[in-house]
Amino acid sequence: MKTTLLSVLAAGALAIGLAAPANAEKLVIGTEGAYPPFNFVQTDGTIAGFDVDIGLALCKQIGAECTVVAQDWDGIIPGLLAKKYDMIIASMFITEERKKQVDFSAPYYKAAMTHVVPKDSAITEFTPEALKGKVIGAQSGTTQAEYIQATYPDADIRLYPTQDEVNLDLASGRIDLQGGDMLPMLDWTTKSADGACCKLAGEPITDPKFVGEGVGIAVRKEDGDLRERLNKALDEIRANGTYKTINDKYFPIDVYTMK
């Protein structure tokens, strides 16, 4: 992902619109645009991915006209609070720390994290003792970063602005392993040329302290009505098959249930 392109999008360029009646409610979705297959920028500059498709489906269900903008991850909650957009749909884990700033919808998919190592790595244990002195990467401002910092105090922790940059350094051999969100890491290691270097390792990381209650849509605390409408719409797209159609476009399992 080119940083210059993301910077332009982060400045507020509208990337995707959803057709709706002229008098429809207008809402803006904020996402990162650098977290495939959940949100990413296509060659034509538009933002796509599972998060985006789910968001637009929910907008359609509540009768709103929605546009999507990209925002760098570190500023994504401040951007919501500053009213640059009305909701965040960006694979954000629901955690107690984030609940202090924003409210969340019900989870729209479950969450787990994972370790990722080169395919020829000798690392087979993921205890603090086994990883002492190892170079571990993660995206800054994420629960993955919080996890590796808390779990591996004697490792050399390196944090990056985007997940793409973590992946690049792992593929290039500049770090020994990384902590990542399981589904994007599964996608990267099995579907991309650079990700062929690497594999998921160890047991899934499901500690609620770090992965929370799942992945939700963040809204401002004063926007309880919007949150409840999104919750109702989520139930509806699960029931009418829309969710499954979007899910199957990206994943071989139902990410809502992880089965």
Side-chain angles (χ1 to χ4, degrees):
M1 189 59 58
K2 293 190 181 296
T3 304
T4 52
L5 176 56
L6 283 178
S7 298
V8 171
L9 289 168
L14 299 183
I16 296 178
L18 180 67
N23 61 349
E25 177 184 19
K26 291 178 171 57
L27 297 171
V28 181
I29 298 169
T31 195
E32 185 187 14
Y35 205 57
F38 291 94
N39 54 81
F40 55 92
V41 180
Q42 302 185 105
T43 55
D44 65 357
T46 58
I47 311 171
F50 177 79
D51 289 331
V52 174
D53 287 357
I54 290 293
L56 294 180
L58 293 173
C59 286
K60 181 178 180 181
Q61 198 67 30
I62 67 175
E65 178 183 350
C66 289
T67 50
V68 182
V69 300
Q71 168 66 55
D72 290 343
W73 182 258
D74 287 349
I76 204 162
I77 288 180
L80 176 68
L81 299 180
K83 299 187 177 182
K84 293 172 64 176
Y85 28 84
D86 302 292
M87 63 188 102
I88 298 170
I89 308 183
S91 290
M92 181 174 283
F93 290 179
I94 303 168
T95 66
E96 292 303 315
E97 188 64 28
R98 287 173 178 152
K99 283 181 181 179
K100 295 175 183 178
Q101 300 182 75
V102 298
D103 281 348
F104 285 95
S105 70
Y108 64 96
Y109 74 87
K110 288 193 173 180
M113 299 187 296
T114 187
H115 298 96
V116 188
V117 300
K119 284 184 174 177
D120 61 357
S121 174
I123 298 172
T124 58
E125 294 185 26
F126 298 91
T127 62
E129 295 76 21
L131 297 185
K132 182 178 180 179
K134 297 294 185 183
V135 184
I136 310 176
Q139 182 180 5
S140 65
T142 65
T143 48
Q144 296 90 276
E146 293 172 9
Y147 176 81
I148 65 171
Q149 288 174 311
T151 308
Y152 306 116
D154 296 319
D156 179 358
I157 306 295
R158 299 186 186 177
L159 303 181
Y160 299 78
T162 69
Q163 185 62 48
D164 284 346
E165 291 171 87
V166 189
N167 295 349
L168 177 62
D169 268 15
L170 183 60
S172 301
R174 288 188 283 269
I175 58 177
D176 296 311
L177 71 158
Q178 68 159 297
D181 189 1
M182 178 172 282
L183 288 171
M185 292 300 94
L186 179 62
D187 189 77
W188 179 61
T189 56
T190 60
K191 296 182 181 179
S192 69
D194 58 336
C197 65
C198 303
K199 64 182 180 180
L200 276 56
E203 295 297 317
I205 302 162
T206 57
D207 185 341
K209 179 180 177 181
F210 296 100
V211 301
E213 303 162 24
V215 173
I217 301 167
V219 299
R220 291 180 289 273
K221 286 186 174 291
E222 63 266 29
D223 291 340
D225 177 66
L226 175 59
R227 183 190 67 240
E228 292 309 311
R229 289 159 59 207
L230 291 169
N231 283 340
K232 181 173 182 290
L234 178 59
D235 288 341
E236 291 168 348
I237 68 170
R238 284 286 298 170
N240 67 22
T242 300
Y243 186 102
K244 184 178 188 305
T245 298
I246 296 170
N247 181 100
D248 293 353
K249 177 180 173 182
Y250 295 97
F251 308 110
I253 62 172
D254 181 354
V255 297
Y256 189 81
T257 62
M258 284 296 187
K259 295 179 181 178

